[in-house]
Amino acid sequence: MDAADSTPGGLKVKGIAAFVLYAGLLAPPVTTLSGMGPEAAELVRMVLVPMTVFGGHGLILGATLCERFNRREAANWPTVNSGGEVGGS
């Protein structure tokens, strides 16, 4: 599935996921530049970076699965043709 197949809601969630991943990548330089002690900075990095990576990827996976299940559910609904007949083409 590519961006052309995504719904507006799915794109929003994927955009938030990209921001979460970006924020996780900023944690190491921020802890280095903040003047924290080395042990405290390492603890923050050890917790924050994996949490943001797994959280961002979880959001992307959740949005993709939601779109896939919604598309599959919509495909199983019966169609109504112009003559008012259900299930026909």
Side-chain angles (χ1 to χ4, degrees):
M1 177 185 301
D2 58 358
D5 296 334
S6 293
T7 61
L11 285 176
K12 283 183 188 178
V13 173
K14 290 176 184 176
I16 292 169
F19 179 73
V20 168
L21 290 169
Y22 178 73
L25 290 174
L26 287 177
V30 167
T31 56
T32 303
L33 296 173
S34 69
M36 295 175 117
E39 293 86 13
E42 187 63 31
L43 179 65
V44 169
R45 279 184 241 141
M46 187 174 63
V47 171
L48 193 61
V49 172
M51 185 173 61
T52 57
V53 168
F54 286 123
H57 283 92
L59 284 170
I60 292 171
L61 179 63
T64 304
L65 285 174
C66 183
E67 290 173 347
R68 183 176 295 165
F69 290 145
N70 286 341
R71 188 178 312 116
R72 184 180 299 161
E73 184 177 304
N76 289 334
W77 283 95
T79 58
V80 178
N81 64 10
S82 60
E85 298 169 350
V86 176
S89 53

